Amino acid sequence: MKEDILHNLSIINKRIKDACEKSGRNPDEVKLLLATKTVSPEHIKVALENGYHLIGENKVQELKEKYEDLKATPHENHFIGHLQTNKIKEILKLGVTCIQSLDRLELAEKLHQKFSAENKTIEVLIQVNTSHEESKFGIPPDKAIELVTKVSEFSTLKIKGLMTIGLFSAETEKIRTCFKILKNLQQEIIRENIPHVEMKELSMGMSGDLETAIEEGATIVRVGTAVFGARIYPDSYYWN
Ligand SMILES: *Cc1c(COP(=O)(O)O)cnc(C)c1O
């Protein structure tokens, strides 16, 4: 298993590098986030002990279960799943540095309440539903600027960019449309010049579509299956 993970990581690196080359980008501009849902701490550590640093979990419960085991191994943890407001308190204690899935004002309000009470701040990305699928979380693109503007007023939440999950499709061009929507939205928000809003990060692209995402400007690709193998739970378990 260890060899498999390391081998898979080297393949992913090569895919990222090739995609950057193809689109004239510097590979240093693209961070690899390992999506570690269902992956055991033992397997996560294989990556963390071999030069990889950034992981992402989808559920607070899983984050909590792995916390002790991973604590001593240097890494950074982003939250990439649907966050329920009753779990915010726990997020505070689990060392998450960025919530990539901020998708509604109510969540922002509750986060701000809790974080200001603790005198802490956290980085966030605004999750946008670019595929218009009912089953996916995220703010609709036409509501995103309004949400960014409102969230920007919460001093504990540092907006760093946008995140999306592309359409599940075998048709690359349809997936590309999702990534283009996110990129265009980023450009639009930059033009709005909203105080306290940074729009540097575009978190998009997964195991199956990371090349397309990089061609369209991704700065963070989130990869699970292609590194750790297939999961036993369907993604709907995490995304609904
Ligand atoms: C699971 C997950 C990924 C990684 O998906 P793979 O297809 O396994 O690479 C990326 N982003 C989010 C939000 C996820 O939940």
Short mmCIF file of all heavy atoms in Angstrom, two decimals, residues 121-161:
data_model
loop_
_atom_site.label_atom_id
_atom_site.label_comp_id
_atom_site.label_asym_id
_atom_site.label_seq_id
_atom_site.Cartn_x
_atom_site.Cartn_y
_atom_site.Cartn_z
N THR A 121 -9.08 33.92 13.88
CA THR A 121 -9.53 34.14 12.50
C THR A 121 -9.34 32.85 11.71
O THR A 121 -8.63 31.95 12.15
CB THR A 121 -8.72 35.25 11.81
OG1 THR A 121 -7.37 34.80 11.68
CG2 THR A 121 -8.77 36.56 12.58
N ILE A 122 -9.99 32.76 10.56
CA ILE A 122 -9.80 31.58 9.71
C ILE A 122 -9.92 32.00 8.25
O ILE A 122 -10.68 32.92 7.91
CB ILE A 122 -10.80 30.45 10.06
CG1 ILE A 122 -10.45 29.17 9.31
CG2 ILE A 122 -12.26 30.89 9.80
CD1 ILE A 122 -10.94 27.90 9.93
N GLU A 123 -9.15 31.31 7.40
CA GLU A 123 -9.26 31.56 5.97
C GLU A 123 -10.46 30.80 5.42
O GLU A 123 -10.78 29.72 5.90
CB GLU A 123 -7.97 31.10 5.27
CG GLU A 123 -6.77 31.89 5.74
CD GLU A 123 -5.49 31.60 4.96
OE1 GLU A 123 -5.44 30.59 4.21
OE2 GLU A 123 -4.55 32.39 5.11
N VAL A 124 -11.10 31.39 4.42
CA VAL A 124 -12.24 30.71 3.80
C VAL A 124 -12.19 30.87 2.28
O VAL A 124 -11.63 31.83 1.76
CB VAL A 124 -13.60 31.27 4.30
CG1 VAL A 124 -13.77 31.06 5.79
CG2 VAL A 124 -13.78 32.74 3.95
N LEU A 125 -12.74 29.88 1.60
CA LEU A 125 -13.05 30.01 0.18
C LEU A 125 -14.57 29.94 0.05
O LEU A 125 -15.23 29.27 0.85
CB LEU A 125 -12.42 28.87 -0.64
CG LEU A 125 -10.90 28.65 -0.52
CD1 LEU A 125 -10.45 27.55 -1.49
CD2 LEU A 125 -10.12 29.93 -0.77
N ILE A 126 -15.10 30.64 -0.90
CA ILE A 126 -16.54 30.58 -1.14
C ILE A 126 -16.80 29.46 -2.14
O ILE A 126 -16.25 29.44 -3.25
CB ILE A 126 -17.07 31.93 -1.70
CG1 ILE A 126 -16.73 33.09 -0.74
CG2 ILE A 126 -18.57 31.86 -1.98
CD1 ILE A 126 -17.35 33.01 0.64
N GLN A 127 -17.65 28.50 -1.72
CA GLN A 127 -17.96 27.38 -2.62
C GLN A 127 -19.11 27.76 -3.54
O GLN A 127 -20.18 28.17 -3.09
CB GLN A 127 -18.32 26.11 -1.84
CG GLN A 127 -18.59 24.94 -2.78
CD GLN A 127 -18.86 23.63 -2.06
OE1 GLN A 127 -18.77 23.54 -0.84
NE2 GLN A 127 -19.20 22.60 -2.83
N VAL A 128 -18.88 27.58 -4.84
CA VAL A 128 -19.87 27.96 -5.84
C VAL A 128 -20.36 26.71 -6.56
O VAL A 128 -19.57 25.83 -6.92
CB VAL A 128 -19.25 28.96 -6.86
CG1 VAL A 128 -20.29 29.42 -7.88
CG2 VAL A 128 -18.64 30.16 -6.15
N ASN A 129 -21.65 26.63 -6.75
CA ASN A 129 -22.23 25.50 -7.49
C ASN A 129 -22.25 25.85 -8.97
O ASN A 129 -23.20 26.45 -9.47
CB ASN A 129 -23.63 25.21 -6.96
CG ASN A 129 -24.25 23.98 -7.62
OD1 ASN A 129 -23.78 23.52 -8.66
ND2 ASN A 129 -25.30 23.47 -7.03
N THR A 130 -21.19 25.47 -9.66
CA THR A 130 -21.05 25.85 -11.07
C THR A 130 -21.70 24.85 -12.01
O THR A 130 -21.79 25.09 -13.21
CB THR A 130 -19.56 25.95 -11.47
OG1 THR A 130 -18.92 24.72 -11.12
CG2 THR A 130 -18.87 27.11 -10.75
N SER A 131 -22.14 23.71 -11.48
CA SER A 131 -22.71 22.68 -12.35
C SER A 131 -24.23 22.71 -12.31
O SER A 131 -24.89 21.97 -13.04
CB SER A 131 -22.21 21.30 -11.92
OG SER A 131 -22.66 21.02 -10.61
N HIS A 132 -24.78 23.55 -11.45
CA HIS A 132 -26.23 23.68 -11.29
C HIS A 132 -26.90 22.36 -10.93
O HIS A 132 -28.07 22.15 -11.23
CB HIS A 132 -26.88 24.27 -12.56
CG HIS A 132 -26.25 25.56 -12.97
ND1 HIS A 132 -26.36 26.72 -12.25
CD2 HIS A 132 -25.43 25.85 -14.02
CE1 HIS A 132 -25.68 27.68 -12.85
NE2 HIS A 132 -25.09 27.18 -13.92
N GLU A 133 -26.15 21.45 -10.32
CA GLU A 133 -26.76 20.19 -9.89
C GLU A 133 -27.34 20.39 -8.51
O GLU A 133 -26.68 20.90 -7.61
CB GLU A 133 -25.71 19.07 -9.85
CG GLU A 133 -25.24 18.64 -11.21
CD GLU A 133 -23.99 17.78 -11.13
OE1 GLU A 133 -22.93 18.32 -10.80
OE2 GLU A 133 -24.09 16.58 -11.37
N GLU A 134 -28.57 19.94 -8.35
CA GLU A 134 -29.25 20.03 -7.05
C GLU A 134 -28.43 19.35 -5.96
O GLU A 134 -28.45 19.75 -4.81
CB GLU A 134 -30.61 19.31 -7.12
CG GLU A 134 -31.65 20.02 -7.97
CD GLU A 134 -32.23 21.23 -7.28
OE1 GLU A 134 -32.17 21.28 -6.04
OE2 GLU A 134 -32.72 22.13 -7.99
N SER A 135 -27.75 18.30 -6.34
CA SER A 135 -27.09 17.44 -5.36
C SER A 135 -25.81 18.06 -4.80
O SER A 135 -25.24 17.55 -3.86
CB SER A 135 -26.73 16.11 -6.00
OG SER A 135 -25.80 16.34 -7.03
N LYS A 136 -25.37 19.16 -5.38
CA LYS A 136 -24.11 19.73 -4.90
C LYS A 136 -24.34 21.00 -4.10
O LYS A 136 -25.19 21.80 -4.43
CB LYS A 136 -23.20 20.03 -6.10
CG LYS A 136 -22.83 18.73 -6.81
CD LYS A 136 -21.40 18.76 -7.30
CE LYS A 136 -21.07 17.46 -8.03
NZ LYS A 136 -21.03 17.66 -9.48
N PHE A 137 -23.53 21.15 -3.09
CA PHE A 137 -23.61 22.36 -2.29
C PHE A 137 -22.91 23.49 -3.02
O PHE A 137 -22.20 23.27 -4.00
CB PHE A 137 -22.97 22.12 -0.93
CG PHE A 137 -23.77 21.19 -0.08
CD1 PHE A 137 -23.34 19.89 0.16
CD2 PHE A 137 -24.98 21.60 0.46
CE1 PHE A 137 -24.10 19.02 0.94
CE2 PHE A 137 -25.74 20.74 1.24
CZ PHE A 137 -25.30 19.45 1.48
N GLY A 138 -23.07 24.68 -2.51
CA GLY A 138 -22.42 25.83 -3.12
C GLY A 138 -23.46 26.87 -3.46
O GLY A 138 -24.62 26.57 -3.71
N ILE A 139 -23.02 28.12 -3.45
CA ILE A 139 -23.91 29.23 -3.76
C ILE A 139 -24.04 29.31 -5.29
O ILE A 139 -23.06 29.09 -6.01
CB ILE A 139 -23.35 30.55 -3.15
CG1 ILE A 139 -24.29 31.73 -3.33
CG2 ILE A 139 -21.98 30.92 -3.73
CD1 ILE A 139 -25.09 32.04 -2.11
N PRO A 140 -25.22 29.59 -5.82
CA PRO A 140 -25.34 29.74 -7.28
C PRO A 140 -24.44 30.89 -7.74
O PRO A 140 -24.31 31.89 -7.02
CB PRO A 140 -26.82 30.09 -7.49
CG PRO A 140 -27.52 29.67 -6.25
CD PRO A 140 -26.51 29.75 -5.14
N PRO A 141 -23.85 30.78 -8.93
CA PRO A 141 -22.92 31.82 -9.40
C PRO A 141 -23.51 33.23 -9.35
O PRO A 141 -22.81 34.18 -8.98
CB PRO A 141 -22.63 31.40 -10.85
CG PRO A 141 -22.83 29.92 -10.86
CD PRO A 141 -23.92 29.63 -9.86
N ASP A 142 -24.78 33.38 -9.66
CA ASP A 142 -25.35 34.74 -9.69
C ASP A 142 -25.60 35.33 -8.30
O ASP A 142 -25.97 36.49 -8.16
CB ASP A 142 -26.63 34.79 -10.54
CG ASP A 142 -27.73 33.90 -9.99
OD1 ASP A 142 -27.43 33.02 -9.16
OD2 ASP A 142 -28.90 34.08 -10.39
N LYS A 143 -25.38 34.50 -7.26
CA LYS A 143 -25.54 35.02 -5.89
C LYS A 143 -24.19 35.17 -5.19
O LYS A 143 -24.12 35.59 -4.04
CB LYS A 143 -26.40 34.06 -5.06
CG LYS A 143 -27.79 33.81 -5.62
CD LYS A 143 -28.78 34.69 -4.86
CE LYS A 143 -30.11 34.84 -5.54
NZ LYS A 143 -30.68 33.68 -6.17
N ALA A 144 -23.13 34.78 -5.89
CA ALA A 144 -21.83 34.66 -5.23
C ALA A 144 -21.26 36.02 -4.81
O ALA A 144 -20.71 36.16 -3.72
CB ALA A 144 -20.85 33.93 -6.14
N ILE A 145 -21.39 37.02 -5.67
CA ILE A 145 -20.79 38.32 -5.34
C ILE A 145 -21.44 38.92 -4.10
O ILE A 145 -20.77 39.46 -3.22
CB ILE A 145 -20.87 39.29 -6.54
CG1 ILE A 145 -20.03 38.71 -7.67
CG2 ILE A 145 -20.37 40.70 -6.15
CD1 ILE A 145 -19.83 39.60 -8.85
N GLU A 146 -22.75 38.74 -4.03
CA GLU A 146 -23.48 39.24 -2.86
C GLU A 146 -22.97 38.54 -1.59
O GLU A 146 -22.74 39.18 -0.56
CB GLU A 146 -24.97 38.97 -3.06
CG GLU A 146 -25.85 39.63 -2.02
CD GLU A 146 -27.30 39.17 -2.14
OE1 GLU A 146 -27.71 38.67 -3.21
OE2 GLU A 146 -28.02 39.29 -1.13
N LEU A 147 -22.77 37.23 -1.67
CA LEU A 147 -22.29 36.50 -0.50
C LEU A 147 -20.87 36.94 -0.12
O LEU A 147 -20.56 37.17 1.05
CB LEU A 147 -22.34 34.98 -0.74
CG LEU A 147 -21.88 34.12 0.43
CD1 LEU A 147 -22.78 34.29 1.66
CD2 LEU A 147 -21.83 32.62 0.05
N VAL A 148 -20.01 37.06 -1.13
CA VAL A 148 -18.63 37.51 -0.87
C VAL A 148 -18.65 38.86 -0.16
O VAL A 148 -17.94 39.09 0.82
CB VAL A 148 -17.81 37.59 -2.18
CG1 VAL A 148 -16.50 38.33 -1.97
CG2 VAL A 148 -17.54 36.19 -2.73
N THR A 149 -19.48 39.76 -0.65
CA THR A 149 -19.56 41.11 -0.07
C THR A 149 -19.98 41.04 1.39
O THR A 149 -19.38 41.69 2.25
CB THR A 149 -20.56 41.97 -0.88
OG1 THR A 149 -20.19 41.91 -2.25
CG2 THR A 149 -20.55 43.41 -0.40
N LYS A 150 -20.99 40.23 1.67
CA LYS A 150 -21.46 40.13 3.05
C LYS A 150 -20.43 39.46 3.95
O LYS A 150 -20.19 39.91 5.07
CB LYS A 150 -22.80 39.38 3.10
CG LYS A 150 -23.92 40.24 2.56
CD LYS A 150 -25.27 39.57 2.70
CE LYS A 150 -26.37 40.56 2.36
NZ LYS A 150 -27.60 39.87 1.92
N VAL A 151 -19.83 38.38 3.46
CA VAL A 151 -18.84 37.67 4.28
C VAL A 151 -17.63 38.56 4.55
O VAL A 151 -17.02 38.50 5.61
CB VAL A 151 -18.42 36.34 3.59
CG1 VAL A 151 -17.26 35.68 4.34
CG2 VAL A 151 -19.59 35.37 3.51
N SER A 152 -17.31 39.42 3.60
CA SER A 152 -16.13 40.29 3.75
C SER A 152 -16.25 41.22 4.95
O SER A 152 -15.27 41.76 5.43
CB SER A 152 -15.92 41.12 2.49
OG SER A 152 -16.89 42.15 2.41
N GLU A 153 -17.48 41.40 5.41
CA GLU A 153 -17.69 42.29 6.56
C GLU A 153 -17.41 41.61 7.90
O GLU A 153 -17.34 42.26 8.93
CB GLU A 153 -19.12 42.86 6.52
CG GLU A 153 -19.26 43.88 5.40
CD GLU A 153 -20.70 44.16 5.00
OE1 GLU A 153 -21.60 43.82 5.78
OE2 GLU A 153 -20.88 44.71 3.90
N PHE A 154 -17.26 40.28 7.86
CA PHE A 154 -16.92 39.56 9.09
C PHE A 154 -15.40 39.52 9.25
O PHE A 154 -14.71 38.85 8.48
CB PHE A 154 -17.47 38.13 9.06
CG PHE A 154 -18.97 38.07 9.00
CD1 PHE A 154 -19.62 37.42 7.97
CD2 PHE A 154 -19.74 38.67 9.99
CE1 PHE A 154 -21.00 37.35 7.92
CE2 PHE A 154 -21.13 38.61 9.94
CZ PHE A 154 -21.76 37.95 8.90
N SER A 155 -14.91 40.23 10.26
CA SER A 155 -13.45 40.40 10.38
C SER A 155 -12.70 39.10 10.69
O SER A 155 -11.50 39.00 10.46
CB SER A 155 -13.15 41.42 11.47
OG SER A 155 -13.75 40.98 12.69
N THR A 156 -13.40 38.07 11.15
CA THR A 156 -12.70 36.81 11.49
C THR A 156 -12.55 35.90 10.28
O THR A 156 -11.80 34.93 10.32
CB THR A 156 -13.48 36.02 12.56
OG1 THR A 156 -14.79 35.74 12.05
CG2 THR A 156 -13.57 36.80 13.86
N LEU A 157 -13.27 36.20 9.20
CA LEU A 157 -13.26 35.32 8.03
C LEU A 157 -12.47 35.96 6.90
O LEU A 157 -12.86 36.99 6.36
CB LEU A 157 -14.70 35.01 7.58
CG LEU A 157 -15.65 34.50 8.67
CD1 LEU A 157 -17.05 34.26 8.10
CD2 LEU A 157 -15.12 33.22 9.31
N LYS A 158 -11.34 35.36 6.58
CA LYS A 158 -10.44 35.93 5.57
C LYS A 158 -10.67 35.24 4.23
O LYS A 158 -10.22 34.10 4.02
CB LYS A 158 -8.98 35.72 6.00
CG LYS A 158 -8.67 36.17 7.43
CD LYS A 158 -8.69 37.68 7.54
CE LYS A 158 -8.35 38.14 8.95
NZ LYS A 158 -8.71 39.54 9.16
N ILE A 159 -11.35 35.92 3.34
CA ILE A 159 -11.66 35.32 2.04
C ILE A 159 -10.42 35.27 1.15
O ILE A 159 -9.78 36.29 0.91
CB ILE A 159 -12.78 36.09 1.31
CG1 ILE A 159 -14.04 36.14 2.18
CG2 ILE A 159 -13.07 35.47 -0.04
CD1 ILE A 159 -15.18 36.94 1.56
N LYS A 160 -10.10 34.07 0.68
CA LYS A 160 -8.89 33.89 -0.13
C LYS A 160 -9.18 33.48 -1.56
O LYS A 160 -8.28 33.35 -2.39
CB LYS A 160 -8.00 32.80 0.50
CG LYS A 160 -7.48 33.15 1.89
CD LYS A 160 -6.48 34.30 1.84
CE LYS A 160 -6.12 34.76 3.23
NZ LYS A 160 -5.25 35.95 3.18
N GLY A 161 -10.45 33.17 -1.86
CA GLY A 161 -10.76 32.75 -3.22
C GLY A 161 -12.03 31.94 -3.30
O GLY A 161 -12.90 32.06 -2.43
#
